[in-house]
Amino acid sequence: MSERRRRSPNGDGQPPGDGGGTGGADRDELSSEGFRRRSPGVRETAQQPRMTRAEMRKAAAKGGGKRGAGAPASAAGRDGKPGKKRFIDYPRFGKQGFRRWLPSWRLWLSTFLIVFAACVGTVFFIYQSTTIPPLKDLVKEQNNIYYWADGTEMTRKGETNRQIVELSDISPNLQNAVIAAENESFRTDSGIDPKGMLRAVYNMAKGGQTQGASTITQQYVKNAYLTQEQTLTRKVKEFFITLKVNQDMKKEEILKGYLNTSWFGRGTGAQAAAQAYYGVNAKDLDLCQSAMLAGLLKGAALYDPSIKGNHERAEVRWKWILDRMVETKNATAEERAKCTTFPDPIKPVPPTNMNGQISYLVDVANRYVTAKDPKIDQQALAKGGYKIYTTFEKDKVDALKKAVDDVRNETLNPQKRPDNDNWVQFGAASIRPGDGAIVAIYGGDGVENQHFDNNADAQGVQVGSTFKPFVLAAAMQVGVQTATDDKGKPKRINADSRYLSDDMSEIRRPDGSLIMDDTTGKPYRQKNEDKGKRGYVSLRQAMQWSYNVPFVQLNQDVGGQNVADIAEKMGVRKESFVDTKTTTFPLGTSGISPIRMADAYATLAASGKQADPYSVTKVELNGVERPGFKKPELKQALEPAVADNVTDVLVNVAKNGTGSKSNALGRPVAGKTGTTDQNKSAWWVGYTPQLATSVAMWREDPAKHERLSLNGTGGKDSVHGGDTPTDVFTRYMKAALANEKKLDFPSPQPVGSQVDSSGAPSTATPSTSPSATETAPTQTADPGAPQQPQPTATQGPACVPGVDCPGTVPTPSATKTHPTPGGGGSGGGGGGGGQTSGPSPTCILGICTSPQPTQSSPTSSTSPSGKPPKPTTSPSATGAGGAQAAP
């Protein structure tokens, strides 16, 4: 480099401007020894490296905060003066890469101390501001208000017997029983279960089910501050209240508060419970009674022995609590030994505003509310404050009650027939098709008559032959396994398909093998209510006269599980079904509630659209509407054509069959009768396009909860579904639909094809229209008994057109004959005395055999196997299995 370029303009050998912001001659130079003045003319070179930023910052700190010329521009102001040191060194100064974003231990420590201090301050503030309300404020009276569908008030329900009593007025037996059952260490513990509370907080934070408090102190706080909002915020608040309570209150005060605010099922508080269950004051409870009441705290809905189905469970818990009292030294073995008999409570005394059907309506509404909103339980409802708007229509509820009362008064006479007309019960429900709204129920005689079970929601009453439409619907939608379509799937059938209906017929599996009777080891034989030989009849006719044999065989061909699946889609609860593998499953051995049966038939009325039944449209608490009570969505459970064809079959039942009493309604109606083995229950489930209603009738010994036969009830040898239940239905529907138009059911579109049971003879012409019905028979001497068709000679081709002899068409003279009562079945040469014009081949899977041309006999028919059947009139032939359904 030339001498001229190396020298500066001022001749000092220093590049211009190399002196820093204040001139090169006055610039300080930083070094590891601190500040020193750099001689003029000396400039930085590679042999004089700059200091790191950390070293420059340390040096600047020693020099009073001034930065030298080597400081970076970011550390100095725009005017060249040193910049201020940052309060928080983040991102970290002087670090490169990820270390620049990694907080230092000083920052970690500072952050922790700040957060910890904030938490401690917050906890201290919340603790100091938390107040424990007076006990009297925790049991303020509040009512739940229930409204009819039109918005008018139905009733108010609230506890009126809540009383605050001193601990000295509560029996030591009850105190000790509660401690032994709920919190044996209560008298010595700190009042908090940290693990339990953390578990509850965690479950609520992730949206799971809430956990109950485990100590009596925590349960008392939960009772005191119970709201429908079981949230994380409320749980935190409970924690602080528990700390406050445990710090400020004595154990005796806590126990007093707990026993006065706990829910025992029939009221809140020990005094109310003692009066409600045993008619005594709380201080007079003995050890045995106290152990029973203590068991209710785990859940009155499960352990109240007066609730049907709870007695055994309640007794087991009662014994366990007594044993626990001995183990925890809250009772002696001698005191425990005196409790040998379970102390059954007295019957509850409901308030007068719950009389009639009101208590059952409130029960249905409450069950729906607690099922739809898990944040509302029975204890929350008992505390009150809710406004519940229902779907119940007062005029229809009154009409249904009047129909039952009128039929009861006209039919039953307990004084004249005490052994037959006592303990007769009715249950009914009415639902709007295509909507699911429950507009009316009949739950029983009323709580004022000591009838507390809600019959409209009873689960254990067998439905009998009202189950058969589910079998037919499954056969139409799913198909039978005995025949396949072009795609190799089970073939869907129609109502003209013919099945053997002879009484005491053998039943076969889809593969043709006989079903054996487990009791006798012989082939199982199914019986009908009617003892005659009807031969092969269409499923339409089988439904009309409620023959059992065809539907037991059809259930085997379709598959019991397929039938159950269809019934479930239509509205029946899965848990209602008995074992689907039992032979008598299609005969209604399952116990289904009237509400669910009405809903399932409403699916048929709505052309296959199913809506879950609902009874509440809106719930409010403190003026705020609770979410989750929208109308249930419609689901297409059945194909419209399937539902409409089943309806068409049931219209025939109502018009010409076992339900002919419903003709008095004077408008199109469809339905099915049902009667179970030994006439222990009788049903009619019917519907119009606007309303579906089920009516059930049975007898039950209230002491033993044992079902009794209806034989002899009302002075009749037997009671069928087409008798009293249909009468109740007709009277109610007349009033309920008085102001509504008469509507017809949709015209059914063709569905499936005629698929006869194996072995069906080819001697009858099938009906040519899905709406073809049998003519109503002449009335017999007993109007309550089902009327049976009389066989007549059938003339026509020797095979069924389109089935056994393709290409053959029926002649104009080949028409279905109309039955008259008193003889065998019509619809085929398989029985009932019909004659054919010639021999008929027997075809199984395309293989046909030609019998000798002989005249058919009323007692001889072709079996499903294609072989001559065994005699079915043997005195030893009896049915087996569960209840046998009748009309």
Side-chain angles (χ1 to χ4, degrees), residues 599-860:
D599 183 63
Y601 274 54
T603 301
L604 296 172
S607 294
K609 294 184 178 66
Q610 190 271 338
D612 290 335
Y614 68 101
S615 58
V616 175
T617 58
K618 184 170 65 173
V619 176
E620 292 181 354
L621 179 66
N622 299 325
V624 179
E625 184 174 346
R626 297 287 306 160
F629 291 95
K630 294 181 180 179
K631 183 186 300 186
E633 295 182 359
L634 285 174
K635 295 164 285 187
Q636 194 71 46
L638 296 176
E639 294 179 11
V642 170
D644 293 342
N645 272 271
V646 175
T647 291
D648 185 70
V649 172
L650 298 185
V651 167
N652 184 45
V653 173
K655 185 177 181 180
N656 305 312
T658 57
S660 58
K661 273 195 173 184
S662 63
N663 287 330
L665 184 58
R667 62 172 68 215
V669 61
K672 183 68 185 75
T673 54
T675 308
T676 53
D677 190 31
Q678 300 178 6
N679 282 3
K680 288 187 177 180
S681 63
W683 286 75
W684 168 261
V685 188
Y687 55 96
T688 67
Q690 302 102 317
L691 211 57
T693 301
S694 63
V695 180
M697 175 183 179
W698 68 93
R699 291 183 67 217
E700 182 174 341
D701 186 337
K704 300 179 181 178
H705 292 291
E706 178 183 352
R707 297 281 158 78
L708 306 174
S709 175
L710 288 168
N711 291 339
T713 300
K716 299 180 180 180
D717 292 339
S718 61
V719 177
H720 295 271
D723 188 21
T724 304
T726 306
D727 194 7
V728 171
F729 167 88
T730 305
R731 297 188 189 208
Y732 160 69
M733 294 288 275
K734 274 186 178 180
L737 299 174
N739 299 322
E740 299 195 30
K741 295 181 180 180
K742 295 181 180 179
L743 299 178
D744 291 324
F745 292 106
S747 297
Q749 299 300 312
V751 65
S753 59
Q754 181 173 328
V755 182
D756 294 336
S757 176
S758 297
S762 307
T763 58
T765 303
S767 60
T768 59
S769 169
S771 61
T773 58
E774 304 291 345
T775 302
T778 306
Q779 197 72 265
T780 62
D782 182 7
Q787 307 303 316
Q788 304 297 332
Q790 179 177 348
T792 57
T794 303
Q795 295 182 355
C799 55
V800 178
V803 179
D804 296 316
C805 46
T808 306
V809 295
T811 63
S813 62
T815 57
K816 185 180 295 185
T817 58
H818 301 300
T820 55
S826 66
Q835 293 183 348
T836 65
S837 60
S840 59
T842 299
C843 300
I844 302 178
L845 301 178
I847 302 175
C848 301
T849 59
S850 300
Q852 296 298 322
T854 58
Q855 181 174 320
S856 61
S857 169
T859 58
S860 65

Side-chain angles (χ1 to χ4, degrees), residues 428-722:
S430 194
I431 290 177
R432 290 202 179 278
D435 183 275
I438 306 173
V439 298
I441 64 169
Y442 182 87
D445 297 340
V447 292
E448 68 275 17
N449 295 315
Q450 301 300 305
H451 184 91
F452 300 102
D453 295 333
N454 187 351
N455 289 348
D457 203 23
Q459 301 292 324
V461 184
Q462 293 181 338
V463 298
S465 292
T466 58
F467 198 86
K468 290 174 182 175
F470 303 142
V471 184
L472 181 59
M476 288 182 173
Q477 180 147 319
V478 178
V480 293
Q481 303 173 52
T482 52
T484 58
D485 59 17
D486 296 339
K487 298 180 180 179
K489 296 181 179 180
K491 198 166 189 178
R492 299 168 64 177
I493 72 174
N494 60 25
D496 292 322
S497 302
R498 296 175 303 154
Y499 273 69
L500 182 64
S501 65
D502 288 349
D503 184 45
M504 303 304 297
S505 293
E506 296 174 342
I507 304 299
R508 296 179 180 273
R509 297 183 178 88
D511 62 5
S513 61
L514 288 170
I515 292 179
M516 307 303 291
D517 189 330
D518 293 337
T519 303
T520 64
K522 298 179 180 179
Y524 172 83
R525 294 181 181 273
Q526 178 60 52
K527 64 181 180 180
N528 293 323
E529 179 74 7
D530 173 68
K531 305 301 181 183
K533 299 294 181 180
R534 309 299 177 188
Y536 283 83
V537 300
S538 69
L539 292 174
R540 180 187 306 281
Q541 188 177 355
M543 188 76 76
Q544 177 181 349
W545 302 117
S546 200
Y547 298 142
N548 291 337
V549 173
F551 288 98
V552 171
Q553 184 60 63
L554 181 61
N555 179 76
Q556 290 294 323
D557 294 348
V558 176
Q561 188 57 54
N562 289 330
V563 172
D565 291 342
I566 288 292
E568 185 180 354
K569 289 180 180 179
M570 293 173 66
V572 178
R573 289 185 178 276
K574 184 177 182 179
E575 56 267 26
S576 301
F577 298 127
V578 297
D579 186 0
T580 60
K581 296 183 178 64
T582 58
T583 309
T584 54
F585 174 70
L587 301 183
T589 54
S590 300
I592 306 171
S593 73
I595 290 177
R596 285 291 170 170
M597 285 302 293
D599 183 63
Y601 274 54
T603 301
L604 296 172
S607 294
K609 294 184 178 66
Q610 190 271 338
D612 290 335
Y614 68 101
S615 58
V616 175
T617 58
K618 184 170 65 173
V619 176
E620 292 181 354
L621 179 66
N622 299 325
V624 179
E625 184 174 346
R626 297 287 306 160
F629 291 95
K630 294 181 180 179
K631 183 186 300 186
E633 295 182 359
L634 285 174
K635 295 164 285 187
Q636 194 71 46
L638 296 176
E639 294 179 11
V642 170
D644 293 342
N645 272 271
V646 175
T647 291
D648 185 70
V649 172
L650 298 185
V651 167
N652 184 45
V653 173
K655 185 177 181 180
N656 305 312
T658 57
S660 58
K661 273 195 173 184
S662 63
N663 287 330
L665 184 58
R667 62 172 68 215
V669 61
K672 183 68 185 75
T673 54
T675 308
T676 53
D677 190 31
Q678 300 178 6
N679 282 3
K680 288 187 177 180
S681 63
W683 286 75
W684 168 261
V685 188
Y687 55 96
T688 67
Q690 302 102 317
L691 211 57
T693 301
S694 63
V695 180
M697 175 183 179
W698 68 93
R699 291 183 67 217
E700 182 174 341
D701 186 337
K704 300 179 181 178
H705 292 291
E706 178 183 352
R707 297 281 158 78
L708 306 174
S709 175
L710 288 168
N711 291 339
T713 300
K716 299 180 180 180
D717 292 339
S718 61
V719 177
H720 295 271

Side-chain angles (χ1 to χ4, degrees), residues 31 55 116 169 227 262 264 290 310 376 398 414 433 483 487 586 623 640 653 685 700 704 725 756 791 860 881 886-887:
S31 69
E55 291 174 332
F116 179 77
D169 291 326
T227 67
S262 292
F264 286 88
S290 297
N310 282 359
I376 303 178
D398 292 342
K487 298 180 180 179
V653 173
V685 188
E700 182 174 341
K704 300 179 181 178
D756 294 336
S860 65

Side-chain angles (χ1 to χ4, degrees), residues 64-300:
K66 296 181 180 180
R67 296 182 183 270
S74 60
R78 293 181 179 178
D79 57 357
K81 295 181 180 179
K84 294 183 179 179
K85 184 179 180 181
R86 292 184 296 173
F87 179 74
I88 300 177
D89 183 24
Y90 193 81
R92 296 176 66 183
F93 189 81
K95 299 295 182 181
Q96 301 297 325
F98 81 94
R99 297 183 61 192
R100 184 166 180 258
W101 301 97
L102 185 65
S104 65
W105 67 269
R106 292 186 181 88
L107 187 58
W108 278 112
L109 180 60
S110 301
T111 302
F112 171 77
L113 292 175
I114 292 172
V115 172
F116 179 77
C119 291
V120 171
T122 301
V123 169
F124 180 78
F125 173 78
I126 297 176
Y127 180 82
Q128 290 297 324
S129 60
T130 299
T131 58
I132 303 174
L135 184 58
K136 62 182 178 62
D137 292 338
L138 302 181
V139 289
K140 283 184 176 179
E141 180 64 25
Q142 293 190 76
N143 287 315
N144 292 323
I145 307 176
Y146 298 82
Y147 297 90
W148 295 105
D150 62 4
T152 58
E153 185 174 317
M154 178 199 303
T155 190
R156 294 175 179 240
K157 183 180 181 182
E159 300 299 332
T160 58
N161 59 345
R162 295 178 179 179
Q163 301 177 46
I164 300 297
V165 295
E166 297 298 325
L167 191 61
S168 58
D169 291 326
I170 300 176
S171 170
N173 292 316
L174 181 59
Q175 298 179 38
N176 293 333
V178 168
I179 291 173
E182 298 294 312
N183 182 195
E184 62 178 283
S185 62
F186 166 72
R187 293 188 173 93
T188 57
D189 63 29
S190 61
I192 290 192
D193 177 15
K195 292 182 179 179
M197 294 200 70
L198 288 175
R199 183 172 59 250
V201 170
Y202 172 74
N203 286 336
M204 282 188 292
K206 70 177 184 178
Q209 292 291 324
T210 58
Q211 300 288 318
S214 58
T215 70
I216 285 178
T217 305
Q218 289 175 268
Q219 292 183 58
Y220 165 54
V221 171
K222 183 173 182 288
N223 293 342
Y225 279 86
L226 180 66
T227 67
Q228 83 288 350
E229 295 292 342
Q230 299 205 25
T231 60
L232 182 61
T233 302
R234 200 210 73 176
K235 200 67 183 178
V236 171
K237 190 174 184 180
E238 283 182 7
F239 173 78
F240 287 105
I241 297 174
T242 303
L243 291 176
K244 193 86 169 182
V245 165
N246 192 65
Q247 181 70 25
D248 296 351
M249 295 178 65
K250 296 180 179 179
K251 290 292 186 179
E252 291 76 10
E253 293 178 294
I254 295 173
L255 186 59
K256 169 191 170 183
Y258 176 65
L259 292 174
N260 276 288
T261 59
S262 292
W263 169 246
F264 286 88
R266 294 188 192 175
T268 299
Q271 176 65 13
Q275 287 285 348
Y277 284 96
Y278 294 111
V280 300
N281 290 321
K283 65 180 179 180
D284 298 323
L285 291 167
D286 61 30
L287 181 65
C288 307
Q289 295 169 337
S290 297
M292 198 288 290
L293 292 179
L296 297 173
L297 296 175
K298 189 175 180 65

